[in-house]
Amino acid sequence: MSSLPPWLANLLPILILLGAISLVLARLPKVELGHTDAFRRRRFFNWFPLGMTYAFLYMGRYNLNEATSAMKALSSNADFGTIFSWGTIVYGASFFLNGPLTDRLGGRKTILLSAAGSSVANVLMGVVVYKVLTDGWVPPGGLVVTLSVLYAINMYFQSFGAVSIVKVNASWFHVRERGQLGGVFGILISLGVYFAYDWSRFISNAAPTYWVFFVPAAILAAFVVLDYFVIRDTPSQTGHPDFDTADASSGDTGTASIWSVFVKMITNRAIIIIMLVEFCSGFMRNAIMQWYPKFMKATGQGDTFVAANWGMLLCVAGITGGMFAGVISDRLFDSRRGPVSAVLYAGMSVGAVATLFLLNSPALGWTVIFMSLCVIGVHGMLSGTASMDFGGKKNAGLAVGIIDCAVYGGTSVQAILLGSILPAKEAAKDPNNWGNWPLAMLPLSFAGLLLATRVWNAKPQPKGQPVAPPQVAVAEQAPRTGTGG
């Protein structure tokens, strides 16, 4: 592939992997739920542009990493940690508003709002960087303060993304189909990471840094137009019949206040444990994704294979982990999300221990790639699928909002913690000074493993079904009422 353009050489393995996965999935026994071929085709044209919008939202979110690295003397690791932490705090807190809002408005409207708002915020960040780099402009309060404010605005709109995709898909997929859908969710995350890291690096190498913000802004604006005409909230809005998805909203025709639904959810044992697991996932995912490239660049190893192809390899790992998790959840564990999360957290724990001893080894890169495979698989299962199961299609927005709030709580903690304890300047050039990095990941990986085993048997209980016997660790009945949408 050496004769191919760099962007195509990186994209080709992803396309080959996606093709191989498509062939494998096509040969698996189908889950027969009475869907027609016409319904399946229309469902594809609903979730695919929705999913690609989500992937490019990732590009408009994690492009900050490449932009701050490309700005070199104008931005340090601590500056990146500060900007990113403020964004993640706003992102997490926004779910308390945007989750219920998505349940009221529907996922179609909120994905349009998400893409449009993030596009505008990225344009504004690009303008600031343009003026700083070309005119030597000093923004009010300094560059870090200005970018923190704009990145926080970006992350507010970004927080509609996951909520919207789960809300829409909850009406289109039965519980027995959602494990595989969780794998697809992992694929979308992985593609977004690839766009954010490798495409942003291609852009910064080929053009001034501010284009790292302008390009995703333009792509998101195009998807606003496409999504407006293509995406619909329910099958009935496209001429296909709605159906019972057998989740926590099944059989529920009641209504209740947002507050009562919220209270029922945060007192649901399964959702509480999933939140705690996803707090660990948020910490682990970003401790790996955000800091490995900075570690390699600081220690002068940025041209090694893993570092140079970070986005592509993360994408391949995430696709593999997501589909592995989704398929075995539905096929091996009877659509339970806990067992596969525990298996993947076990892998993450082994990787975290190994990382402690591999800071001077070429094997470090492949170890963190394996850990990324595990954490993206867990995130797809819990935030992308379990939230849909336990919230039900009526309250999916609130459920994923609560769970993703925990994810970004963990993300914010790692940004603040690692931004303050990792070495800077000359000290950062020595890999031996980065021992705090794996040490910070160890307790979270083991905590996630322990917590995942506590929801081993958890499944949603549709309204009217008896609750499982108390000696079996099955989730309490999820909330049955909601705000509509």
Side-chain angles (χ1 to χ4, degrees):
M1 291 190 292
S2 59
S3 61
L4 296 176
W7 67 270
L8 182 56
N10 274 346
L11 184 59
L12 196 56
I14 296 170
L15 296 177
I16 292 171
L17 179 61
L18 289 174
I21 288 173
S22 298
L23 288 174
V24 171
L25 292 179
R27 297 186 66 84
L28 286 174
K30 295 221 183 323
V31 177
E32 290 301 336
L33 297 167
H35 298 323
T36 64
D37 290 341
F39 170 83
R40 289 192 176 94
R41 283 194 297 272
R42 184 59 185 88
R43 184 168 68 176
F44 173 81
F45 286 113
N46 206 68
W47 71 253
F48 184 72
L50 176 67
M52 292 306 296
T53 305
Y54 186 63
F56 282 111
L57 281 168
Y58 258 68
M59 184 182 183
R61 182 188 315 175
Y62 291 123
N63 54 350
L64 178 72
N65 189 303
E66 180 58 36
T68 54
S69 294
M71 291 168 71
K72 296 176 182 173
L74 294 176
S75 179
S76 66
N77 283 347
D79 292 338
F80 165 75
T82 299
I83 298 167
F84 191 70
S85 65
W86 278 112
T88 55
I89 289 169
V90 170
Y91 187 100
S94 297
F95 283 122
F96 290 107
L97 171 64
N98 293 348
L101 193 59
T102 300
D103 283 329
R104 284 192 178 275
L105 298 178
R108 175 179 177 270
K109 289 181 180 177
T110 52
I111 195 67
L112 295 174
L113 183 62
S114 181
S118 180
S119 177
V120 171
N122 269 275
V123 168
L124 293 176
M125 286 189 285
V127 169
V128 168
V129 172
Y130 169 80
K131 290 180 66 64
V132 167
L133 294 180
T134 59
D135 300 337
W137 180 59
V138 179
L143 180 63
V144 173
V145 171
T146 300
L147 284 183
S148 293
V149 171
L150 293 177
Y151 190 67
I153 294 171
N154 177 40
M155 292 295 270
Y156 170 76
F157 288 104
Q158 288 268 348
S159 71
F160 280 109
V163 181
S164 301
I165 194 172
V166 172
K167 178 65 176 177
V168 172
N169 286 337
S171 295
W172 286 83
F173 289 85
H174 191 277
V175 164
R176 291 171 58 198
E177 302 174 290
R178 290 179 182 173
Q180 198 163 296
L181 177 64
V184 172
F185 189 79
I187 289 176
L188 299 172
I189 292 172
S190 303
L191 287 172
V193 169
Y194 165 69
F195 297 146
Y197 286 99
D198 283 14
W199 283 22
S200 293
R201 185 167 60 248
F202 296 151
I203 293 166
S204 67
N205 288 338
T209 304
Y210 43 82
W211 283 103
V212 172
F213 296 106
F214 290 149
V215 171
I219 294 172
L220 287 171
F223 269 95
V224 170
V225 178
L226 176 63
D227 293 350
Y228 178 83
F229 290 103
V230 175
I231 294 172
R232 295 296 180 267
D233 285 312
T234 63
S236 60
Q237 293 174 356
T238 65
H240 295 278
D242 293 331
F243 60 97
D244 184 0
T245 54
D247 57 24
S249 290
S250 180
D252 178 23
T253 58
T255 58
S257 68
I258 292 173
W259 175 248
S260 65
V261 176
F262 174 77
V263 169
K264 287 181 181 180
M265 283 196 178
I266 62 171
T267 55
N268 181 303
R269 177 181 176 274
I271 289 180
I272 292 171
I273 295 175
I274 289 169
M275 286 176 62
L276 294 173
V277 175
E278 282 293 78
F279 178 91
C280 299
S281 299
F283 188 103
M284 293 295 296
R285 182 175 66 155
N286 287 281
I288 298 164
M289 288 198 320
Q290 302 296 333
W291 294 102
Y292 174 76
K294 291 190 176 294
F295 166 80
M296 296 301 282
K297 186 166 288 190
T299 56
Q301 305 175 73
D303 57 350
T304 60
F305 180 80
V306 174
N309 297 279
W310 181 237
M312 181 269 286
L313 292 172
L314 275 183
C315 187
V316 169
I319 290 170
T320 306
M323 292 314 301
F324 167 80
V327 170
I328 69 169
S329 174
D330 279 348
R331 307 279 173 169
L332 185 61
F333 293 118
D334 191 29
S335 295
R336 286 176 290 141
R337 319 308 176 193
V340 68
S341 298
V343 169
L344 292 171
Y345 252 104
M348 246 189 293
S349 299
V350 171
V353 172
T355 301
L356 188 61
F357 301 98
L358 294 175
L359 291 176
N360 288 286
S361 169
L364 174 66
W366 296 108
T367 302
V368 295
I369 286 292
F370 171 72
M371 293 171 69
S372 299
L373 179 156
C374 295
V375 75
I376 292 176
V378 171
H379 188 54
M381 280 296 92
L382 298 184
S383 284
T385 306
S387 58
M388 201 185 304
D389 293 345
F390 291 102
K393 63 183 179 182
K394 291 188 70 174
N395 301 307
L398 183 55
V400 73
I402 291 170
I403 293 170
D404 258 18
C405 179
V407 174
Y408 278 83
T411 300
S412 180
V413 168
Q414 70 79 31
I416 296 169
L417 177 65
L418 294 181
S420 62
I421 67 173
L422 293 182
K425 299 180 180 178
E426 288 300 313
K429 295 180 180 180
D430 184 355
N432 294 310
N433 292 333
W434 285 74
N436 283 339
W437 178 39
L439 282 174
M441 291 190 283
L442 280 173
L444 277 297
S445 64
F446 285 111
L449 171 59
L450 177 62
L451 289 163
T453 64
R454 307 306 299 165
V455 285
W456 189 273
N457 292 311
K459 289 186 71 173
Q461 297 290 330
K463 187 177 179 65
Q465 284 193 11
V467 179
Q471 66 268 24
V472 181
V474 177
E476 300 167 11
Q477 186 165 315
R480 305 296 177 219
T481 54
T483 59

